[in-house]
Amino acid sequence: MSGYTYRSIHVDLSDRSVGIVTTPEILCREYLGGRGFGAAMLSDAITHAYDAPELPLVFATGPLVGTAAPTSGRMSVVSRSPLTGTIFDCSVGGRFGTLLKRAGYDYLRIVGASSQPVMLEIDGDAVTIRSAEGLAGKTVSEAGQKFDASWSTAVIGPAGERRVRYASIMIDGHYSAGRGGLGAVMGAKGLKLIAVRGSRTVPVADPAMLTTARDSIMRLLRTSQAVFGEFGLAEFGTAALVDLMHARRMEPTENFRKTVFPQAGAYSGYSMKSRYRTKKTGCAGCPVLCKKIGEGKEVIPEYETVSHFGALNANCDLSSIVEANALCNDLGLDTITAAATIACYAELEGRTVPPAEMLQMLREIADRRPGRGDALAEGSLRYASSRGRPELSMSVKGLELPAYDPRGAYGMALAYATSNRGGCHLRAYPISHEILRRPVATDRFSFDGKARIIKIAEDLNAVVDSLTACKFVFFAVSLEEYAKALSAVTGFPHDVQSLFRIGERIWNAERAMNRANGFTAADDDLPARFFAEEGSSGAQIRVLPIDRQTFLDARARYYRVRGYAEELAQGEDGR
Amino acid sequence: MEKVVRKYLGKIEAQGLAHRDDVLFLARDADVYASRSAVGEERELLRVLDGMNCSALLYARLAEPYRSILDEVVLRDSSVAAEGRVFPRDAETRTFLHDIPVLDTFSADAILAALSKRKTAIIRNHGIVTFGAVTPEQAFIFFSSVCFTMFVKYFSDTLQRFRQGEIAGEALDAFRRIWQETERTCTVQHAPVLRSGVPADADAVLALMCEAGQAVVSTHLVDSCFGNISYGTDEVMYISQTGSSLDELEGCIDAVSLAGTSSVGITASSELTAHKRIFAETGLNAILHGHPRFSVIMSMDCERTDCDRERCYTSCPESRSVQGIPIVSGEIGTGPNALLHTVPKALRTAPGVIVYGHGVFTACRGDFQDAFATLRSIEQACMDAYEREVKTQKCERPEA
């Protein structure tokens, strides 16, 4: 098949060995790339602790990466999460995936650990492990400085080095492999930085067919208000969702005690665009360019970040939100978990954390300063548990929930629960149909039909993350168009259902790994708050607590659709 | 699931696409709900459903005139013989469905293979099969789209064949039957009377829009979830949400700030910007957009053959009209060739405009009466023009 280089890199940091291996054909056929590659490569090592040298850390591209297929400049980073203990993948943009492919490699697999900080340099055929002692303790921006624009970098900050359980890996300075703490896995291996560059072209089997597929995709994207509309992602970035979630009364506020934050307009997409005079930027090969940079080079935060450093912490100071985002990027922290852990702390303390203290706490966390910083570096679930109040961690499987209150979107509630990586919106992204009405609107306050819908979407997104494409384009495009693009690139006749079968295989492999680590139906659940407390009803919208039994019935239907007899037989306690 | 399926069966019947007894609608969450028992070869569809990652499957034998239209297209379209598929001519179907495979056999394997590549398929001498990846509603939308596109393609192609002297014998007999049935089921003249006057408040605006939307659907000037409607005020444009059905607008209208200070309009119709520009450039604040069939058909009736036909949809340089109604090019949504660059300008001097291969925009002030009347009159004029064109080709008028 075209679209693959059939060369990959295996690195063992314990003995500092580097091997170039042939990418197995069966891996390409059965797992596509990206997240799928990671799932396949982790399956026999997933029970290792996150800091065990034997645990692989995988950076994998997909078959579309480096081609003219729209939004294909992404890659996946995959390992076991220090935060959740689950298999964990992050789909991340920037240029790293594209340059890794252009350097001639499908994936990079790292095992072992170095007692001294090291960096990995991939310069086309030359793959070199170098000392990074001079970079120890440096921030992401400081560490990446020596590499010019011909390189792409993956860097951990002080948080990763100190194994903060939600440390991120930063790509090109501000694209974050953010969730789940894979930066701590990299830190445990003593790997501070990876730099890559390359200039090869990626072979495409049928360029004319790819042009046709690309034209279809672009035509569909232009029909989408959510993508290219005047209020869409291309104009405001994901912060376009601030006003919408506010209007739907489902913006998590004050650690999910409320669902409306009256001052949310202070950090809306419009407010940020006006104040920072933003311009568009984005990942390699993307026509949407949803990333926004201010006139003064400010990196404009994503929706989840503004909402969690905003409403979730009752903070309407836009400057502090933008600064918190910049600080997290530079220290190498996941913004969602960082903000949610601070909100959990605030509730436990019975107060609101003011903006200046919030910024100070981020530094304490990244440094694991003794006391509060070290305790919060464990994430909200371990922290709340240490204070005897685990129910105040708004997380699923230990992963803090993003900025969509599940009481306002029941498909989202179910998808949070069933997600293989914990409280994540991106596994099934039901916000697409429950809120954005794409590809078709569904009743957000109903579980009817949602078990099947969530299963299908989980499979779909496993494919998207393996291609590796961007989920946002699927507001407008379907797998039908991407199957054609993939067939054009690879020369292999993929179709929608064959891709769905691959997606299902990836999902089930992930689920099997979680079972191997002791996860049960009891872990497919939401925090008790959502079943007991009403959200902020008003404006003719009732945000009722989710009916517990209705949720459990929907989850049981999900298990039946999936064929998960094991979970179906388990009680609420997982036994 | 049963409630949803019943709703869309009702819509299929109301649109005259098929009788519910001729529809097999399968929908599932953990369990499968079937609108009726599968009989004979229809049992193959249960295998199809088993083989697909989807929520719903819809198969229907069509009602007249769609059944004959489908048969005629499958029988006479050159691309069916050459490539085993139909290439739609109208803009929306081209964009969203690309092309439609035609199957010779009613077998699970053939249907599965077709639906693994496309959203819908035609089964020769049987009907249409389609699916909903997320919800049963999608299956209904695709089904409705195929009926629409077959109608448009049949009448467009037939007009060309009349001109080329190719319609005779069985094809002429079929045309007469189809025309007779089309006239019989045409509802454009049986329109409800809309309320008049400027609405006093936001609730009155919404009520006005809901009423107008229902009228557009009941007169078959738009199908399923296509078309859109808006009403502008000093500060806000009220507009139907993307993917909403114009006959079910309650709770599906966005109030979009004209100052652009809020992004709640992210869920608005994909033609939001076109509506805003129409309002800004003409002052007309009650705007309707439908897909009347003969308007779409006649917009594509161009006798020039020396140009790139793909440009007809995006950037035709000709100044064209039908019955005095301007025809413009323009794609859906945004982009350099989007209709938002052509439609507002045309509406400065005309009460309505037809977008090539797509649909009609009409606009007026205060309430929707004039916009709706214009929409109907354009469609009636285009239907009359079509009939005249056929007669001009020395074809006797089909007797009613």
Side-chain angles (χ1 to χ4, degrees):
Chain A
M1 287 191 287
S2 296
Y4 297 94
T5 67
Y6 289 103
R7 294 169 78 234
S8 294
I9 306 171
H10 282 194
V11 172
D12 188 333
L13 293 173
S14 294
D15 60 11
R16 297 202 172 195
S17 63
V18 175
I20 307 301
V21 301
T22 301
T23 311
E25 176 77 21
I26 194 166
L27 191 66
C28 303
R29 285 191 189 274
E30 296 193 353
Y31 291 91
L32 280 181
R35 174 177 162 188
F37 276 10
M41 279 183 267
L42 264 293
S43 60
D44 60 356
I46 196 65
T47 53
H48 290 297
Y50 86 89
D51 52 0
E54 296 85 351
L55 184 73
L57 175 64
V58 177
F59 295 74
T61 71
L64 299 184
V65 175
T67 74
T71 78
S72 56
R74 302 181 70 81
M75 69 166 174
S76 293
V77 186
V78 192
S79 192
R80 187 180 180 195
S81 165
L83 187 67
T84 66
T86 63
I87 172 82
F88 211 99
D89 72 282
C90 293
S91 174
V92 61
R95 297 162 62 236
F96 194 99
T98 301
L99 292 189
L100 183 62
K101 194 82 169 282
R102 289 194 177 151
Y105 306 105
D106 293 316
Y107 69 83
L108 163 66
R109 177 182 182 272
I110 302 161
V111 295
S114 170
S115 55
Q116 301 300 318
V118 292
M119 56 190 275
L120 183 65
E121 209 173 87
I122 304 165
D123 191 359
D125 287 339
V127 182
T128 314
I129 300 169
R130 301 185 192 282
S131 168
E133 285 198 48
L135 300 181
K138 300 288 189 192
T139 64
V140 168
S141 57
E142 290 167 345
Q145 263 175 359
K146 70 167 274 198
F147 293 94
D148 65 29
S150 67
W151 296 85
S152 177
T153 56
V155 185
I156 58 168
E161 291 181 54
R162 295 184 175 90
R163 306 186 194 183
V164 173
R165 286 186 186 269
Y166 45 96
S168 60
I169 300 170
M170 297 304 298
I171 307 299
D172 300 334
H174 54 254
Y175 296 90
S176 179
R179 305 231 66 195
L182 299 188
V185 177
M186 196 159 149
K189 295 189 179 306
L191 183 59
K192 175 71 178 177
L193 180 150
I194 309 168
V196 62
R197 66 178 173 183
S199 56
R200 299 181 186 189
T201 55
V202 177
V204 171
D206 189 339
M209 185 179 173
L210 180 58
T211 299
T212 305
R214 181 187 164 83
D215 289 348
S216 294
I217 290 168
M218 289 307 301
R219 195 182 303 140
L220 285 165
L221 284 175
R222 286 194 294 269
T223 70
S224 171
Q225 188 69 20
V227 178
F228 276 130
E230 60 184 280
F231 301 118
L233 301 173
E235 287 301 315
F236 291 115
T238 54
L241 295 173
V242 171
D243 290 330
L244 190 61
M245 292 305 140
H246 180 78
R248 301 294 182 265
R249 305 185 82 82
M250 54 180 290
E251 59 189 348
T253 302
E254 296 180 31
N255 204 31
F256 288 85
R257 277 173 285 171
K258 301 173 184 173
T259 59
V260 168
F261 183 51
Q263 294 85 30
Y267 51 77
S268 70
Y270 173 80
S271 296
M272 291 198 286
K273 183 174 181 175
S274 306
R275 176 159 168 183
Y276 294 104
R277 298 177 186 278
T278 59
K279 57 183 179 182
K280 299 175 184 179
T281 183
C283 307
C286 181
V288 181
L289 301 178
C290 70
K291 196 91 178 166
K292 306 299 165 202
I293 301 285
E295 205 172 41
K297 305 288 183 198
E298 303 90 351
V299 175
I300 303 304
E302 303 282 341
Y303 164 67
E304 313 294 339
T305 304
V306 286
S307 190
H308 270 12
F309 279 118
L312 201 70
N313 282 287
N315 173 27
C316 60
D317 175 21
L318 177 54
S319 299
S320 70
I321 293 171
V322 172
E323 192 175 344
N325 180 59
L327 203 51
C328 284
N329 286 355
D330 216 26
L331 298 170
L333 284 171
D334 173 30
T335 54
I336 298 175
T337 290
T341 301
I342 292 171
C344 172
Y345 165 85
E347 184 171 1
L348 280 160
E349 292 290 306
R351 66 183 177 93
T352 301
V353 174
E357 184 182 354
M358 188 169 73
L359 297 171
Q360 175 58 27
M361 287 173 75
L362 293 174
R363 295 187 183 90
E364 292 173 16
I365 291 167
D367 288 344
R368 273 197 179 269
R369 285 184 204 161
R372 183 171 72 171
D374 191 48
L376 294 176
E378 293 292 293
S380 69
L381 182 57
R382 286 179 176 82
Y383 176 71
S385 299
S386 74
R387 294 188 58 172
R389 300 289 305 277
E391 74 279 8
L392 295 188
S393 166
M394 295 296 112
S395 61
V396 171
K397 300 184 181 76
L399 186 70
E400 288 74 9
L401 298 177
Y404 309 99
D405 195 291
R407 288 165 291 196
Y410 288 7
M412 190 72 263
L414 183 60
Y416 281 150
T418 60
S419 162
N420 280 337
R421 73 172 201 174
C424 168
H425 56 301
L426 294 170
R427 299 291 92 174
Y429 207 66
I431 295 305
S432 177
H433 50 87
E434 292 189 315
I435 302 298
L436 293 170
R437 305 176 61 82
R438 286 295 176 187
V440 68
T442 62
D443 181 353
R444 68 185 175 114
F445 291 116
S446 169
F447 282 109
D448 287 352
K450 297 288 173 67
R452 173 82 54 181
I453 292 172
I454 296 305
K455 185 267 184 190
I456 292 169
E458 288 169 345
D459 293 346
L460 167 69
N461 286 322
V463 173
V464 174
D465 288 337
S466 303
L467 283 173
T468 43
C470 174
K471 292 183 184 74
F472 292 151
V473 302
F474 284 79
F475 291 157
V477 178
S478 73
L479 210 47
E480 181 181 322
E481 290 77 26
Y482 268 88
K484 187 167 182 177
L486 181 62
S487 298
V489 167
T490 60
F492 185 83
H494 290 283
D495 63 41
V496 173
Q497 295 304 322
S498 70
L499 288 177
F500 266 132
R501 284 191 287 276
I502 292 173
E504 186 172 34
R505 180 181 301 130
I506 294 166
W507 185 270
N508 287 337
E510 293 169 342
R511 172 67 54 155
M513 284 186 264
N514 286 347
R515 285 192 195 116
N517 278 315
F519 286 88
T520 68
D523 299 296
D524 293 338
D525 210 345
L526 296 171
R529 167 165 285 163
F530 299 120
F531 301 109
E533 299 174 21
E534 185 167 345
S536 307
S537 299
Q540 298 182 315
I541 300 173
R542 285 296 299 277
V543 188
L544 296 169
I546 299 168
D547 181 76
R548 176 76 181 159
Q549 192 56 51
T550 309
F551 166 80
L552 292 174
D553 291 345
R555 196 184 65 173
R557 287 198 299 278
Y558 170 85
Y559 291 147
R560 287 179 56 208
V561 172
R562 278 273 177 213
Y564 290 167
E566 198 174 317
E567 283 86 348
L568 197 57
Q570 290 164 348
E572 283 195 52
D573 60 358
R575 281 180 286 183
Chain B
M1 282 297 172
E2 181 177 353
K3 189 177 165 190
V4 175
V5 166
R6 285 183 184 282
K7 171 183 169 180
Y8 290 108
L9 282 174
K11 288 201 171 206
I12 287 169
E13 277 198 330
Q15 287 184 21
L17 306 179
H19 301 295
R20 71 177 57 213
D21 291 344
D22 290 331
V23 180
L24 179 58
F25 209 145
L26 306 170
R28 61 182 178 179
D29 193 14
D31 298 307
V32 177
Y33 170 76
S35 61
R36 61 169 171 76
S37 299
V39 293
E41 58 199 358
E42 288 178 351
R43 294 191 189 97
E44 291 285 286
L45 296 170
L46 298 171
R47 276 186 56 211
V48 174
L49 190 66
D50 276 346
M52 293 185 67
N53 212 352
C54 70
S55 289
L57 192 70
L58 188 164
Y59 163 71
R61 294 179 68 86
L62 304 184
E64 293 294 355
Y66 295 97
R67 183 181 295 192
S68 294
I69 286 172
L70 189 68
D71 289 346
E72 284 293 298
V73 171
V74 169
L75 182 67
R76 304 186 197 283
D77 189 74
S78 59
S79 62
V80 174
E83 299 184 52
R85 58 193 59 235
V86 174
F87 291 92
R89 294 196 63 195
D90 63 287
E92 293 242 355
T93 317
R94 275 163 47 95
T95 301
F96 294 105
L97 299 188
H98 310 301
D99 56 57
I100 304 163
V102 178
L103 310 179
D104 293 327
T105 57
F106 199 120
S107 79
D109 290 344
I111 296 169
L112 258 174
L115 296 186
S116 291
K117 287 189 165 66
R118 288 291 182 251
K119 298 178 183 75
T120 179
I122 295 163
I123 309 173
R124 193 187 294 266
N125 298 324
H126 286 80
I128 293 168
V129 61
T130 184
F131 70 98
V134 178
T135 66
E137 185 188 9
Q138 279 178 299
F140 162 72
I141 293 168
F142 298 147
F143 173 67
S144 175
S145 294
V146 176
C147 293
F148 175 84
T149 203
M150 288 298 141
F151 189 100
V152 168
K153 184 173 180 58
Y154 172 73
F155 281 105
S156 292
D157 292 352
T158 299
L159 188 53
Q160 295 305 316
R161 290 196 184 109
F162 267 123
R163 291 197 175 115
Q164 290 155 10
E166 293 175 359
I167 299 293
E170 288 182 0
L172 183 58
D173 292 343
F175 177 76
R176 285 173 177 157
R177 282 199 319 274
I178 289 167
W179 181 264
Q180 189 175 337
E181 191 65 18
T182 300
E183 280 195 318
R184 189 185 70 76
T185 55
C186 177
T187 57
V188 72
Q189 291 169 340
H190 310 295
V193 177
L194 302 183
R195 70 186 76 180
S196 62
V198 176
D201 54 26
D203 286 344
V205 170
L206 300 182
L208 203 66
M209 292 175 70
C210 290
E211 181 191 57
Q214 285 170 355
V216 173
V217 174
S218 72
T219 44
H220 294 186
L221 296 170
V222 76
D223 297 326
S224 67
C225 66
F226 294 109
N228 35 69
I229 180 173
S230 72
Y231 191 92
T233 65
D234 287 345
E235 296 177 348
V236 170
M237 171 156 271
Y238 297 90
I239 185 165
S240 51
Q241 292 181 334
T242 184
S244 56
S245 298
L246 293 191
D247 58 343
E248 296 181 83
L249 284 177
E250 196 173 340
C252 295
I253 294 172
D254 279 338
V256 179
S257 157
L258 289 172
T261 53
S262 165
S263 56
V264 291
I266 192 171
T267 55
S269 159
S270 53
E271 306 300 4
L272 167 66
T273 308
H275 282 250
K276 284 176 68 177
R277 287 197 185 177
I278 292 168
F279 183 31
E281 293 182 21
T282 68
L284 304 173
N285 68 334
I287 303 165
L288 286 177
H289 170 47
H291 294 178
R293 290 152 193 237
F294 281 96
S295 306
V296 174
I297 292 162
M298 293 310 292
S299 75
M300 296 190 289
D301 183 37
C302 177
E303 295 189 47
R304 276 195 64 174
T305 55
D306 57 342
C307 51
D308 176 6
R309 306 302 293 184
E310 281 301 303
R311 287 187 63 194
C312 301
Y313 298 93
T314 57
S315 55
C316 174
E318 299 287 320
S319 176
R320 299 179 56 230
S321 66
V322 55
Q323 302 298 295
I325 305 299
I327 300 168
V328 298
S329 53
E331 289 186 306
I332 309 156
T334 58
N337 295 317
L339 60 85
L340 63 91
H341 302 297
T342 56
V343 168
K345 185 179 171 188
L347 284 175
R348 285 181 203 161
T349 53
V353 55
I354 309 176
V355 182
Y356 182 96
H358 179 173
V360 176
F361 282 83
T362 61
C364 63
R365 278 195 182 83
D367 56 48
F368 285 97
Q369 280 192 337
D370 289 347
F372 181 51
T374 305
L375 191 63
R376 288 170 48 219
S377 69
I378 290 173
E379 176 63 355
Q380 187 64 60
C382 287
M383 194 169 175
D384 294 345
Y386 185 94
E387 187 177 15
R388 273 197 305 277
E389 278 298 314
V390 169
K391 287 165 75 176
T392 303
Q393 306 308 318
K394 303 193 185 312
C395 165
E396 59 187 291
R397 184 185 185 281
E399 293 300 323

